[in-house]
Coordinates of all heavy atoms in Angstrom, one line a residue:
M1 N 159.8 119.8 108.3 CA 159.5 120.6 109.4 C 159.1 119.7 110.6 O 158.4 118.7 110.4 CB 158.3 121.5 109.1 CG 157.8 122.4 110.2 SD 156.6 123.6 109.9 CE 155.7 123.0 108.6
E2 N 159.4 120.1 111.8 CA 159.0 119.4 113.0 C 158.4 120.3 114.0 O 158.7 121.6 113.9 CB 160.2 118.6 113.6 CG 161.3 119.6 114.2 CD 162.4 118.8 114.9 OE1 162.1 118.3 116.0 OE2 163.5 118.9 114.4
F3 N 157.7 119.8 114.9 CA 157.1 120.6 115.9 C 157.7 120.2 117.3 O 157.8 119.0 117.5 CB 155.6 120.4 116.0 CG 154.9 120.9 114.8 CD1 154.5 120.0 113.8 CD2 154.6 122.2 114.6 CE1 153.8 120.4 112.7 CE2 154.0 122.7 113.4 CZ 153.6 121.8 112.5
R4 N 158.1 121.2 118.0 CA 158.7 121.0 119.4 C 157.7 121.6 120.4 O 157.4 122.8 120.3 CB 160.1 121.6 119.5 CG 161.0 120.9 118.6 CD 162.4 121.5 118.8 NE 163.3 120.9 117.8 CZ 164.5 121.4 117.5 NH1 165.0 122.5 118.1 NH2 165.2 120.9 116.5
H5 N 157.2 120.7 121.2 CA 156.3 121.1 122.2 C 156.9 121.2 123.6 O 157.4 120.1 124.1 CB 155.1 120.2 122.2 CG 153.9 120.7 123.0 ND1 152.7 120.2 122.9 CD2 153.8 121.8 123.9 CE1 151.8 120.9 123.7 NE2 152.5 121.8 124.3
I6 N 156.9 122.3 124.2 CA 157.5 122.5 125.5 C 156.4 123.0 126.5 O 155.7 123.9 126.2 CB 158.6 123.6 125.6 CG1 159.7 123.3 124.5 CG2 159.2 123.7 126.9 CD1 160.4 121.9 124.6
K7 N 156.2 122.3 127.6 CA 155.1 122.6 128.5 C 155.6 122.4 129.9 O 156.4 121.6 130.2 CB 153.8 121.9 128.2 CG 153.9 120.4 128.3 CD 152.6 119.8 127.9 CE 152.7 118.3 127.7 NZ 152.7 117.4 128.6
N8 N 155.0 123.2 130.8 CA 155.2 123.0 132.2 C 153.9 123.2 132.9 O 152.8 123.3 132.3 CB 156.4 123.9 132.8 CG 156.1 125.4 132.6 OD1 155.0 125.8 132.8 ND2 157.1 126.1 132.3
E9 N 153.9 123.4 134.2 CA 152.7 123.6 135.0 C 151.9 124.8 134.7 O 150.7 124.9 134.9 CB 153.0 123.5 136.5 CG 153.7 122.2 136.9 CD 154.6 122.5 138.2 OE1 154.6 123.6 138.7 OE2 155.2 121.5 138.6
K10 N 152.6 125.9 134.3 CA 152.0 127.2 134.1 C 151.7 127.6 132.6 O 150.7 128.2 132.3 CB 152.8 128.3 134.8 CG 152.9 128.1 136.2 CD 153.7 129.3 136.9 CE 153.8 129.0 138.4 NZ 154.5 130.1 139.0
N11 N 152.6 127.2 131.7 CA 152.4 127.6 130.3 C 153.2 126.6 129.4 O 153.8 125.7 129.8 CB 152.9 129.0 130.1 CG 154.3 129.2 130.6 OD1 155.2 128.3 130.5 ND2 154.6 130.4 131.2
G12 N 153.1 126.9 128.1 CA 153.8 126.1 127.2 C 153.8 126.8 125.8 O 153.2 127.9 125.6
Y13 N 154.5 126.1 124.9 CA 154.5 126.6 123.5 C 154.8 125.5 122.6 O 155.4 124.4 122.9 CB 155.5 127.8 123.4 CG 157.0 127.4 123.7 CD1 157.8 126.9 122.8 CD2 157.4 127.7 125.0 CE1 159.1 126.6 123.2 CE2 158.7 127.4 125.4 CZ 159.6 126.8 124.5 OH 160.9 126.5 124.8
I14 N 154.5 125.7 121.3 CA 154.8 124.8 120.2 C 155.6 125.6 119.2 O 155.1 126.7 118.8 CB 153.5 124.2 119.6 CG1 152.7 123.4 120.7 CG2 153.9 123.3 118.4 CD1 151.4 123.0 120.2
K15 N 156.8 125.1 118.8 CA 157.6 125.7 117.8 C 157.6 124.9 116.5 O 157.6 123.7 116.6 CB 159.0 125.9 118.3 CG 159.2 126.9 119.4 CD 160.7 127.0 119.7 CE 160.9 128.1 120.8 NZ 162.3 128.3 121.1
A16 N 157.5 125.6 115.4 CA 157.7 124.9 114.1 C 159.2 125.1 113.7 O 159.6 126.3 113.7 CB 156.8 125.5 113.1
I17 N 159.9 124.1 113.5 CA 161.4 124.1 113.3 C 161.7 123.4 112.0 O 161.2 122.3 111.7 CB 162.1 123.5 114.4 CG1 161.8 124.0 115.8 CG2 163.6 123.5 114.2 CD1 162.3 125.4 116.1
D18 N 162.5 124.0 111.2 CA 163.0 123.3 110.0 C 164.5 123.7 109.8 O 164.9 124.8 109.8 CB 162.3 123.8 108.7 CG 162.6 123.0 107.5 OD1 162.8 121.8 107.7 OD2 162.6 123.5 106.4
N19 N 165.3 122.6 109.8 CA 166.8 122.8 109.7 C 167.3 123.7 110.8 O 168.1 124.6 110.6 CB 167.2 123.3 108.4 CG 167.0 122.3 107.3 OD1 167.2 121.1 107.5 ND2 166.5 122.7 106.1
E20 N 166.8 123.5 112.0 CA 167.1 124.3 113.2 C 166.8 125.8 113.1 O 167.2 126.6 113.9 CB 168.6 124.1 113.6 CG 168.9 122.7 114.0 CD 168.1 122.1 115.1 OE1 167.8 122.8 116.1 OE2 167.6 121.0 115.0
I21 N 165.9 126.1 112.2 CA 165.4 127.5 112.0 C 164.0 127.5 112.5 O 163.2 126.7 112.1 CB 165.5 128.0 110.6 CG1 166.9 128.0 110.1 CG2 164.8 129.4 110.4 CD1 167.1 128.3 108.6
Q22 N 163.7 128.5 113.4 CA 162.4 128.6 114.0 C 161.5 129.3 112.9 O 161.8 130.5 112.6 CB 162.4 129.4 115.3 CG 161.0 129.5 115.9 CD 161.0 130.1 117.3 OE1 161.8 129.7 118.1 NE2 160.1 131.0 117.5
L23 N 160.5 128.6 112.5 CA 159.6 129.2 111.5 C 158.4 129.9 112.1 O 157.9 130.9 111.6 CB 159.0 128.1 110.6 CG 160.0 127.1 109.9 CD1 159.3 126.1 109.1 CD2 161.0 127.9 109.1
G24 N 158.0 129.5 113.3 CA 156.9 130.1 114.0 C 156.7 129.5 115.4 O 157.4 128.5 115.7
M25 N 155.8 130.1 116.2 CA 155.6 129.6 117.5 C 154.2 130.0 117.9 O 153.7 131.1 117.6 CB 156.6 130.2 118.5 CG 156.4 129.8 119.9 SD 157.8 130.3 121.0 CE 157.7 132.1 120.9
I26 N 153.6 129.1 118.7 CA 152.3 129.4 119.3 C 152.4 129.2 120.8 O 153.1 128.3 121.3 CB 151.2 128.5 118.7 CG1 149.8 129.0 119.1 CG2 151.4 127.1 119.1 CD1 148.7 128.3 118.2
T27 N 151.9 130.2 121.6 CA 152.1 130.1 123.1 C 150.7 130.0 123.8 O 149.7 130.4 123.3 CB 152.8 131.3 123.6 OG1 152.1 132.5 123.4 CG2 154.2 131.5 123.0
Y28 N 150.8 129.4 125.0 CA 149.6 129.3 125.8 C 149.9 129.3 127.3 O 151.1 129.1 127.6 CB 148.8 128.0 125.4 CG 149.5 126.7 125.7 CD1 149.5 126.1 126.9 CD2 150.2 126.1 124.7 CE1 150.2 125.0 127.1 CE2 150.9 124.9 124.9 CZ 150.9 124.4 126.1 OH 151.5 123.2 126.4
Y29 N 148.9 129.4 128.1 CA 149.1 129.2 129.5 C 147.9 128.4 130.0 O 146.8 128.4 129.4 CB 149.2 130.5 130.3 CG 148.1 131.5 130.2 CD1 147.0 131.4 131.1 CD2 148.1 132.5 129.2 CE1 146.0 132.3 131.0 CE2 147.0 133.4 129.1 CZ 146.0 133.3 130.0 OH 144.9 134.2 129.9
W30 N 148.1 127.7 131.2 CA 147.0 126.9 131.7 C 146.0 127.7 132.5 O 146.4 128.4 133.4 CB 147.7 125.8 132.6 CG 148.4 124.8 131.9 CD1 149.8 124.8 131.6 CD2 147.9 123.6 131.2 NE1 150.1 123.7 130.9 CE2 149.0 123.0 130.6 CE3 146.7 123.1 131.1 CZ2 148.9 121.8 129.9 CZ3 146.5 121.9 130.4 CH2 147.6 121.3 129.8
E31 N 144.8 127.6 132.2 CA 143.7 128.2 132.9 C 143.4 127.3 134.1 O 143.1 127.8 135.2 CB 142.5 128.3 132.0 CG 141.2 128.9 132.7 CD 141.3 130.4 132.9 OE1 142.3 131.1 132.4 OE2 140.5 131.0 133.6
D32 N 143.3 126.0 133.9 CA 143.1 125.0 135.0 C 143.7 123.7 134.4 O 144.3 123.7 133.4 CB 141.7 124.9 135.4 CG 140.7 124.6 134.3 OD1 141.1 123.7 133.4 OD2 139.6 125.1 134.2
S33 N 143.5 122.6 135.1 CA 144.2 121.4 134.7 C 143.6 120.8 133.4 O 144.2 119.9 132.8 CB 144.0 120.3 135.8 OG 142.7 120.0 136.0
E34 N 142.5 121.3 132.9 CA 141.9 120.8 131.7 C 141.7 121.8 130.6 O 141.2 121.5 129.5 CB 140.5 120.2 132.0 CG 140.5 119.1 133.0 CD 139.1 118.7 133.4 OE1 138.1 119.4 133.1 OE2 139.0 117.6 134.0
T35 N 142.2 123.0 130.8 CA 142.0 124.1 129.8 C 143.2 125.0 129.6 O 143.9 125.4 130.6 CB 140.9 125.1 130.4 OG1 139.7 124.3 130.7 CG2 140.5 126.1 129.3
I36 N 143.5 125.3 128.4 CA 144.6 126.2 128.1 C 144.1 127.4 127.4 O 143.0 127.4 126.7 CB 145.7 125.6 127.2 CG1 145.2 125.1 125.8 CG2 146.5 124.5 127.9 CD1 146.2 124.7 124.9
V37 N 144.7 128.6 127.6 CA 144.4 129.8 127.0 C 145.5 130.1 126.0 O 146.7 130.3 126.3 CB 144.3 131.0 128.0 CG1 144.0 132.3 127.3 CG2 143.2 130.7 129.1
V38 N 145.1 130.1 124.7 CA 146.1 130.3 123.6 C 146.2 131.8 123.4 O 145.2 132.4 123.0 CB 145.7 129.6 122.3 CG1 146.8 129.8 121.3 CG2 145.6 128.1 122.6
D39 N 147.4 132.4 123.7 CA 147.4 133.9 123.7 C 148.3 134.5 122.6 O 148.2 135.7 122.4 CB 148.0 134.3 125.1 CG 149.3 133.7 125.4 OD1 149.8 132.8 124.8 OD2 149.9 134.2 126.5
H40 N 149.0 133.7 121.9 CA 149.9 134.3 120.9 C 150.4 133.3 119.8 O 150.7 132.2 120.1 CB 151.1 134.9 121.5 CG 152.0 135.7 120.6 ND1 151.7 136.9 120.1 CD2 153.3 135.5 120.2 CE1 152.7 137.3 119.3 NE2 153.6 136.5 119.4
T41 N 150.4 133.8 118.6 CA 150.9 133.1 117.5 C 151.8 134.0 116.7 O 151.5 135.2 116.4 CB 149.8 132.5 116.5 OG1 148.9 131.7 117.2 CG2 150.4 131.7 115.4
E42 N 153.0 133.5 116.3 CA 153.9 134.4 115.5 C 154.6 133.5 114.5 O 154.9 132.3 114.7 CB 154.9 135.1 116.4 CG 155.9 134.2 117.1 CD 156.9 135.0 117.9 OE1 156.4 135.8 118.8 OE2 158.1 134.9 117.7
V43 N 154.8 134.1 113.4 CA 155.6 133.4 112.3 C 156.8 134.3 111.9 O 156.7 135.5 111.8 CB 154.6 133.2 111.1 CG1 155.4 132.6 109.9 CG2 153.5 132.3 111.4
N44 N 157.9 133.6 111.7 CA 159.1 134.3 111.3 C 158.8 135.1 110.0 O 158.2 134.5 109.1 CB 160.2 133.3 111.1 CG 161.5 133.8 110.6 OD1 161.6 134.8 109.9 ND2 162.6 133.2 111.0
P45 N 159.1 136.4 109.9 CA 158.7 137.2 108.7 C 159.2 136.6 107.4 O 158.6 136.8 106.4 CB 159.3 138.5 109.0 CG 159.4 138.6 110.5 CD 159.7 137.2 111.0
L46 N 160.3 135.8 107.5 CA 160.9 135.2 106.3 C 160.0 134.1 105.7 O 160.1 133.7 104.6 CB 162.3 134.7 106.5 CG 163.4 135.7 106.9 CD1 164.6 135.0 107.3 CD2 163.6 136.7 105.8
F47 N 159.1 133.6 106.6 CA 158.2 132.5 106.2 C 156.7 132.8 106.2 O 155.9 131.9 106.1 CB 158.5 131.3 107.1 CG 160.0 130.9 107.0 CD1 160.9 131.3 108.0 CD2 160.5 130.1 105.9 CE1 162.2 130.9 107.9 CE2 161.8 129.8 105.9 CZ 162.7 130.2 106.9
E48 N 156.4 134.1 106.3 CA 155.0 134.5 106.3 C 154.4 134.1 105.0 O 155.0 134.1 103.9 CB 154.8 135.9 106.6 CG 155.1 136.3 108.0 CD 155.0 137.8 108.3 OE1 154.8 138.6 107.3 OE2 155.1 138.2 109.4
G49 N 153.1 133.8 105.0 CA 152.4 133.4 103.8 C 152.5 132.0 103.3 O 152.1 131.6 102.2
N50 N 153.2 131.2 104.1 CA 153.4 129.8 103.7 C 152.6 128.8 104.5 O 152.8 127.6 104.5 CB 154.9 129.4 103.9 CG 155.7 130.1 102.9 OD1 155.5 130.1 101.7 ND2 156.8 130.9 103.3
G51 N 151.6 129.3 105.3 CA 150.7 128.4 106.1 C 151.3 127.9 107.4 O 150.7 127.0 108.0
I52 N 152.4 128.5 107.8 CA 153.0 128.0 109.1 C 152.1 128.2 110.2 O 152.0 127.3 111.1 CB 154.4 128.7 109.3 CG1 155.3 128.6 108.1 CG2 155.0 128.3 110.6 CD1 155.7 127.2 107.8
G53 N 151.4 129.3 110.3 CA 150.5 129.6 111.4 C 149.4 128.6 111.5 O 149.1 128.1 112.6
S54 N 148.8 128.3 110.4 CA 147.7 127.3 110.3 C 148.2 125.9 110.7 O 147.5 125.2 111.4 CB 147.1 127.2 108.9 OG 146.5 128.4 108.6
L55 N 149.4 125.6 110.3 CA 150.0 124.3 110.7 C 150.3 124.2 112.2 O 150.1 123.2 112.9 CB 151.3 124.0 110.0 CG 151.2 123.7 108.5 CD1 152.5 123.7 107.8 CD2 150.4 122.5 108.2
L56 N 150.7 125.3 112.8 CA 150.8 125.4 114.2 C 149.5 125.2 115.0 O 149.5 124.5 116.0 CB 151.5 126.7 114.7 CG 152.9 126.9 114.4 CD1 153.4 128.3 114.5 CD2 153.7 126.1 115.5
V57 N 148.4 125.8 114.5 CA 147.1 125.6 115.1 C 146.7 124.1 115.0 O 146.2 123.6 115.9 CB 146.1 126.6 114.5 CG1 144.7 126.3 115.0 CG2 146.4 128.0 114.7
K58 N 146.9 123.5 113.8 CA 146.6 122.1 113.6 C 147.3 121.2 114.6 O 146.8 120.3 115.2 CB 146.8 121.7 112.2 CG 145.8 122.3 111.3 CD 146.1 121.8 109.8 CE 145.1 122.5 108.9 NZ 145.4 122.2 107.5
E59 N 148.6 121.5 114.8 CA 149.4 120.8 115.8 C 148.9 121.0 117.2 O 148.8 120.1 118.0 CB 150.9 121.2 115.7 CG 151.8 120.5 116.7 CD 151.9 119.0 116.5 OE1 151.5 118.4 115.4 OE2 152.3 118.3 117.4
L60 N 148.5 122.2 117.5 CA 147.9 122.5 118.8 C 146.6 121.7 119.0 O 146.4 121.1 120.1 CB 147.6 124.0 118.9 CG 146.8 124.4 120.2 CD1 147.7 124.4 121.4 CD2 146.2 125.8 120.0
L61 N 145.8 121.6 118.0 CA 144.5 120.9 118.1 C 144.8 119.4 118.2 O 144.1 118.7 119.0 CB 143.6 121.2 116.9 CG 143.1 122.6 116.8 CD1 142.4 122.8 115.5 CD2 142.2 122.9 118.0
R62 N 145.8 118.9 117.6 CA 146.2 117.5 117.7 C 146.6 117.2 119.2 O 146.1 116.2 119.8 CB 147.4 117.1 116.8 CG 147.7 115.7 116.8 CD 149.1 115.4 116.1 NE 150.2 116.0 116.9 CZ 150.7 115.6 118.0 NH1 150.2 114.5 118.6 NH2 151.7 116.2 118.6
F63 N 147.4 118.1 119.7 CA 147.8 117.9 121.1 C 146.6 118.0 122.1 O 146.5 117.1 123.0 CB 148.8 119.0 121.5 CG 149.0 119.2 122.9 CD1 149.7 118.3 123.7 CD2 148.5 120.4 123.6 CE1 149.9 118.5 125.1 CE2 148.7 120.6 124.9 CZ 149.4 119.6 125.7
T64 N 145.7 119.0 121.9 CA 144.6 119.1 122.8 C 143.6 117.9 122.6 O 143.0 117.5 123.6 CB 143.9 120.5 122.6 OG1 143.5 120.6 121.3 CG2 144.8 121.6 123.1
D65 N 143.4 117.5 121.4 CA 142.5 116.3 121.2 C 143.1 115.1 121.9 O 142.3 114.4 122.5 CB 142.3 116.1 119.7 CG 141.4 117.1 119.0 OD1 140.7 117.9 119.7 OD2 141.4 117.1 117.8
Q66 N 144.3 114.8 121.7 CA 144.9 113.6 122.3 C 144.9 113.6 123.8 O 144.9 112.6 124.4 CB 146.4 113.5 121.8 CG 146.5 113.0 120.4 CD 148.0 112.8 120.0 OE1 148.9 113.3 120.7 NE2 148.2 112.1 118.9
N67 N 145.0 114.8 124.4 CA 145.0 115.0 125.8 C 143.7 115.4 126.5 O 143.7 115.7 127.7 CB 146.2 115.9 126.2 CG 147.5 115.3 125.8 OD1 148.0 114.3 126.5 ND2 148.1 115.7 124.7
Q68 N 142.7 115.5 125.7 CA 141.3 116.0 126.1 C 141.4 117.3 126.9 O 141.0 117.4 128.0 CB 140.7 114.9 127.0 CG 140.5 113.6 126.2 CD 139.9 112.5 127.0 OE1 140.2 112.4 128.2 NE2 139.2 111.6 126.4
I69 N 142.1 118.3 126.2 CA 142.2 119.6 126.8 C 141.3 120.6 126.1 O 141.3 120.5 124.8 CB 143.7 120.0 126.7 CG1 144.6 119.1 127.5 CG2 143.9 121.5 127.2 CD1 146.1 119.3 127.3
K70 N 140.7 121.5 126.8 CA 139.9 122.5 126.2 C 140.7 123.7 125.8 O 141.8 123.9 126.5 CB 138.8 122.9 127.1 CG 137.8 121.8 127.5 CD 136.8 122.2 128.5 CE 136.0 121.0 129.0 NZ 135.6 121.2 130.3
I71 N 140.3 124.5 124.8 CA 141.1 125.7 124.4 C 140.2 126.9 124.6 O 139.0 126.9 124.1 CB 141.5 125.5 122.9 CG1 142.3 124.3 122.7 CG2 142.2 126.8 122.5 CD1 142.6 124.1 121.2
I72 N 140.8 128.0 125.1 CA 140.2 129.3 125.1 C 141.1 130.1 124.2 O 142.3 130.4 124.5 CB 140.1 129.9 126.4 CG1 139.2 129.1 127.4 CG2 139.6 131.4 126.3 CD1 139.2 129.5 128.8
P73 N 140.7 130.4 122.9 CA 141.6 131.1 122.0 C 141.4 132.6 122.1 O 140.5 133.2 121.6 CB 141.1 130.6 120.6 CG 139.7 130.3 120.8 CD 139.5 129.9 122.3
V74 N 142.4 133.3 122.8 CA 142.3 134.7 122.9 C 143.2 135.3 121.7 O 143.0 136.5 121.4 CB 142.8 135.3 124.2 CG1 141.8 134.8 125.3 CG2 144.2 134.9 124.6
C75 N 144.0 134.5 121.1 CA 144.8 135.0 120.0 C 143.9 135.1 118.8 O 143.2 134.1 118.4 CB 145.9 134.0 119.7 SG 146.8 134.3 118.1
P76 N 143.8 136.3 118.2 CA 142.9 136.5 117.1 C 143.1 135.5 115.9 O 142.2 135.0 115.3 CB 143.1 137.9 116.6 CG 143.8 138.6 117.8 CD 144.5 137.5 118.5
F77 N 144.4 135.2 115.6 CA 144.7 134.3 114.5 C 144.1 132.9 114.8 O 143.5 132.3 113.9 CB 146.2 134.2 114.3 CG 146.6 133.3 113.2 CD1 146.4 133.6 111.8 CD2 147.0 132.0 113.5 CE1 146.7 132.7 110.8 CE2 147.3 131.1 112.5 CZ 147.2 131.5 111.1
V78 N 144.3 132.4 116.0 CA 143.8 131.1 116.4 C 142.3 131.1 116.3 O 141.7 130.1 115.8 CB 144.3 130.7 117.8 CG1 143.7 129.4 118.3 CG2 145.9 130.6 117.8
K79 N 141.7 132.1 116.7 CA 140.2 132.2 116.7 C 139.7 132.0 115.2 O 138.8 131.3 114.9 CB 139.7 133.5 117.2 CG 139.6 133.6 118.7 CD 139.0 135.0 119.1 CE 139.1 135.2 120.5 NZ 138.5 136.5 120.9
V80 N 140.4 132.8 114.3 CA 140.0 132.7 112.9 C 140.2 131.3 112.3 O 139.3 130.8 111.7 CB 140.8 133.7 112.1 CG1 140.6 133.5 110.6 CG2 140.3 135.1 112.4
V81 N 141.3 130.7 112.6 CA 141.6 129.4 112.0 C 140.6 128.4 112.6 O 140.1 127.5 111.9 CB 143.1 129.0 112.3 CG1 143.3 127.5 111.9 CG2 144.0 129.9 111.6
M82 N 140.4 128.4 113.9 CA 139.5 127.5 114.5 C 138.0 127.6 114.0 O 137.3 126.7 113.7 CB 139.5 127.6 116.0 CG 140.8 127.0 116.6 SD 140.9 127.2 118.4 CE 139.6 126.0 118.9
T83 N 137.6 128.9 113.7 CA 136.3 129.2 113.2 C 136.2 128.6 111.8 O 135.2 128.0 111.4 CB 136.0 130.7 113.1 OG1 136.1 131.2 114.5 CG2 134.7 131.0 112.5
R84 N 137.2 128.7 111.0 CA 137.2 128.2 109.6 C 137.2 126.7 109.6 O 136.7 126.0 108.7 CB 138.4 128.7 108.8 CG 138.4 130.1 108.5 CD 139.6 130.6 107.7 NE 139.5 132.0 107.4 CZ 140.6 132.7 107.1 NH1 141.7 132.2 107.0 NH2 140.4 134.0 106.9
M85 N 137.7 126.1 110.7 CA 137.7 124.6 110.8 C 136.5 124.1 111.5 O 136.4 122.9 111.9 CB 139.0 124.2 111.5 CG 140.3 124.5 110.8 SD 141.7 124.2 111.9 CE 141.7 122.4 111.9
D86 N 135.5 125.0 111.9 CA 134.4 124.6 112.6 C 134.7 124.1 114.0 O 134.1 123.1 114.5 CB 133.4 123.7 111.9 CG 132.8 124.3 110.6 OD1 132.5 125.5 110.7 OD2 132.6 123.6 109.7
R87 N 135.8 124.6 114.6 CA 136.2 124.1 115.9 C 136.0 125.1 117.0 O 136.4 124.8 118.2 CB 137.7 123.8 115.9 CG 138.1 122.6 115.0 CD 137.7 121.3 115.5 NE 138.2 121.0 116.8 CZ 139.3 120.2 117.0 NH1 139.8 119.6 116.0 NH2 139.7 119.9 118.2
Y88 N 135.3 126.2 116.7 CA 135.1 127.2 117.8 C 133.7 127.7 117.8 O 133.1 127.8 116.8 CB 136.1 128.4 117.5 CG 136.0 129.5 118.5 CD1 136.4 129.4 119.8 CD2 135.4 130.8 118.1 CE1 136.3 130.4 120.7 CE2 135.4 131.8 119.0 CZ 135.8 131.6 120.3 OH 135.8 132.6 121.2

């Protein structure tokens, strides 16, 4: 599995891809130059229950940590995962 991160000035997303099949995606938009609002996480129904959503959140946290970006998690799933990881 690989993660593809696409971002621009207004928003971005991270996709989990395996053999060119999209397993899931997490989306966000920029609140300001140092903060993103994570608004949606989805997992392909064929791959639900395999931890894809949690892996997407971990990849998001890796990206934000490396770039010193703050997160506002409005997506309920992201809130739960971050709380379990003591990150929220």
Side-chain angles (χ1 to χ4, degrees):
M1 176 175 29
E2 69 176 290
F3 295 101
R4 295 185 187 162
H5 192 166
I6 308 300
K7 61 184 165 78
N8 61 39
E9 300 153 2
K10 296 182 182 182
N11 54 34
Y13 58 87
I14 299 171
K15 290 183 178 183
I17 306 287
D18 191 32
N19 293 321
E20 296 305 314
I21 297 171
Q22 182 172 313
L23 308 179
M25 180 171 65
I26 194 165
T27 64
Y28 63 85
Y29 60 89
W30 291 94
E31 178 75 9
D32 57 43
S33 63
E34 299 175 347
T35 309
I36 60 172
V37 177
V38 182
D39 58 351
H40 184 68
T41 304
E42 66 181 56
V43 174
N44 181 327
L46 297 174
F47 301 99
E48 288 178 355
N50 292 307
I52 303 299
S54 294
L55 291 173
L56 282 163
V57 174
K58 287 178 183 177
E59 178 64 16
L60 174 74
L61 293 173
R62 186 194 63 73
F63 163 71
T64 57
D65 287 348
Q66 285 183 343
N67 295 284
Q68 299 176 332
I69 297 169
K70 297 174 190 154
I71 300 172
I72 299 173
V74 298
C75 170
F77 178 78
V78 173
K79 282 183 187 181
V80 168
V81 173
M82 288 179 69
T83 300
R84 289 181 184 162
M85 297 173 70
D86 295 326
R87 294 290 300 257
Y88 180 68

